[in-house]
């Protein structure tokens, strides 16, 4: 019961204030069918996401964003605009601009699952501060400091005293997007014995008319383990943009110094848009190419509903 109290208080406070507020939601659920072994199968109904999103404008320079997941608080952030420097500063608990996919709205991912290089290394939601600076119309620079990726989805820094550093640069125009990012574990304030490591990656995207192509490569190190991953993804829209076919080859090596521990998949996707992203179906078939003689492929169906009061 207590996990709903904060949400109720936040919503109630807006009723008695003159803050410009928008309320939205994202619901994603479906079914997963998996071939566990040659003669065993599992079928599960899933509720992947059930989120309410609240955003508002306090004044021309101050905004906020709150997001809940099944009653629990996910994001609480304040965004301060600094027009003179073409910058914004974000403070609170939120997703840092790490990798290509992690900052993207979960209703706009294309395929149901994140690429492995994101799912295996992401710090997910962190408490900290992040700046965004626009240089002209094509370049965006992010710099952030956070409690620590060694404890994903944290609210405080209970593991060590070090703070993690994020740097991210992106170039984009009408058709092309490219970027690079660097995450340094315990870059500031670390003590002897704290976890050490880094992650660095590059990505590129071509998006024109019905065709989209995305690729990304990441490598890093945590203490003595070196890891790397990459993927290539293509998508084509057809049938008056109501259908979209996707394919992604995904590879991940958790320790490049150890043989036969890597994994790879091929995901075939088909999306049907009833009302754009607001009402749509995902159909994904994930082929495990790591061990081609083992039939442990996965078929997923997901239905999505997005809504917003504005």
């Amino acid at each position: 019961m207590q996990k709903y109290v904060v949400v109720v208080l936040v919503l109630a406070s807006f009723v008695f204030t003159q803050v410009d507020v928008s309320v939205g939601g994202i619901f994603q659920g479906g079914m997963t069918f998996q071939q566990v072994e040659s003669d065993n199968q599992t079928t599960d109904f899933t509720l992947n996401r059930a989120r309410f999103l609240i955003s508002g404008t306090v004044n021309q320079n101050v905004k906020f964003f709150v997001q809940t997941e099944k009653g629990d608080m996910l994001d609480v952030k304040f965004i301060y605009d600094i027009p003179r420097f073409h910058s914004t500063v974000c403070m609170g608990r939120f997703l840092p601009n790490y990798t290509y996919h992690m900052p993207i709205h979960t209703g706009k991912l294309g395929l149901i699952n994140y690429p492995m290089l994101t799912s295996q290394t992401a710090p997910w939601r962190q408490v900290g501060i992040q700046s965004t600076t626009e240089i002209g119309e094509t370049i965006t620079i992010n710099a952030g400091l956070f409690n620590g990726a060694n404890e994903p989805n944290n609210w405080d820094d209970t593991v060590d005293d070090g703070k993690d550093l994020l740097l991210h640069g992106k170039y984009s125009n009408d058709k092309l997007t490219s970027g690079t990012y660097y995450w340094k574990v315990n870059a500031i304030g670390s003590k002897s014995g704290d976890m050490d490591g880094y992650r660095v990656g590059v990505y590129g995207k071509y998006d024109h008319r019905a065709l989209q192509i995305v690729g990304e490569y990441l490598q890093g190190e945590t203490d003595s383990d070196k890891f790397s991953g990459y993927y290539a993804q293509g998508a084509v829209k057809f049938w008056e943009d109501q259908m979209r076919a996707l394919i992604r080859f995904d590879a991940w090596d958790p320790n490049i110094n150890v043989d036969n521990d890597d994994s790879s998949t091929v995901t075939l996707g088909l999306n049907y848009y009833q009302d754009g992203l607001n009402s749509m179906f995902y159909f994904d078939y994930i082929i495990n190419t790591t061990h081609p003689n083992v039939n442990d492929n996965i078929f997923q169906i997901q239905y999505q509903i997005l809504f917003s009061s504005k």
Side-chain angles (χ1 to χ4, degrees), residues 9-252:
L9 290 177
V10 170
L11 289 172
S13 67
F14 296 149
V15 176
F16 301 101
T17 65
Q18 297 182 358
V19 175
D20 184 13
V21 175
S22 173
V23 179
I26 174 171
F27 300 99
Q28 295 174 330
M31 185 195 74
T32 298
F33 175 85
Q34 183 171 9
Q35 186 81 30
V36 180
E37 296 176 355
S38 59
D39 57 349
N40 291 326
Q41 301 172 348
T42 62
T43 303
D44 296 306
F45 292 104
T46 61
L47 180 59
N48 301 328
R49 295 178 180 92
R51 299 179 179 180
F52 285 100
L53 297 77
I54 307 166
S55 59
T57 301
V58 179
N59 56 51
Q60 61 180 356
N61 294 325
V62 181
K63 302 175 183 178
F64 64 87
F65 176 77
V66 177
Q67 182 174 210
T68 68
E69 171 72 81
K70 303 171 186 175
D72 293 324
M73 195 68 71
L74 283 183
D75 302 80
V76 182
K77 66 179 179 180
F78 299 91
I79 304 102
Y80 300 89
D81 289 331
I82 311 175
R84 181 178 179 181
F85 299 103
H86 306 284
S87 299
T88 61
V89 176
C90 182
M91 301 178 64
R93 186 182 193 251
F94 54 92
L95 288 173
N97 276 17
Y98 172 78
T99 73
Y100 169 77
H101 276 93
M102 199 174 86
I104 295 177
H105 189 293
T106 53
K108 303 178 180 179
L109 292 176
L111 295 169
I112 296 173
N113 297 322
Y114 286 92
M116 285 189 285
L117 65 79
T118 296
S119 62
Q120 296 293 329
T121 69
W124 300 115
R125 286 165 175 82
Q126 292 288 310
V127 176
I129 182 171
Q130 177 180 277
S131 65
T132 301
T133 301
E134 304 286 344
I135 302 176
E137 297 181 354
T138 59
I139 297 176
T140 304
I141 303 296
N142 296 115
L145 203 62
F146 301 92
N147 275 345
N150 50 356
E151 188 175 335
N153 290 319
N154 63 2
W155 282 97
D156 48 32
D157 203 354
T158 59
V159 177
D160 49 49
D161 293 325
K163 298 295 178 284
D164 289 11
L165 172 68
L166 168 69
L167 299 174
H168 190 150
K170 181 177 71 174
Y171 169 85
S172 60
N173 59 32
D174 293 340
K175 300 178 183 178
L176 298 174
T177 300
S178 62
T180 183
Y181 50 89
Y182 174 73
W183 186 286
K184 174 61 178 173
V185 178
N186 287 327
I188 297 176
S190 62
K191 298 180 180 179
S192 177
D194 285 349
M195 180 182 291
D196 195 9
Y198 72 91
R199 298 140 197 200
V200 61
V202 295
Y203 61 85
K205 180 180 74 169
Y206 175 81
D207 195 347
H208 183 54
R209 295 182 180 176
L211 177 65
Q212 183 186 89
I213 300 173
V214 183
E216 187 170 4
Y217 173 80
L218 174 146
Q219 69 175 26
E221 180 177 357
T222 301
D223 292 334
S224 60
D225 295 334
K226 296 182 179 180
F227 50 84
S228 67
Y230 65 91
Y231 67 86
Q233 178 176 310
V236 177
K237 289 184 178 180
F238 59 98
W239 197 24
E240 298 181 347
D241 291 345
Q242 282 195 286
M243 302 288 290
R244 193 183 194 194
L246 303 96
I247 182 171
R248 180 169 70 205
F249 178 79
D250 202 357
W252 170 251

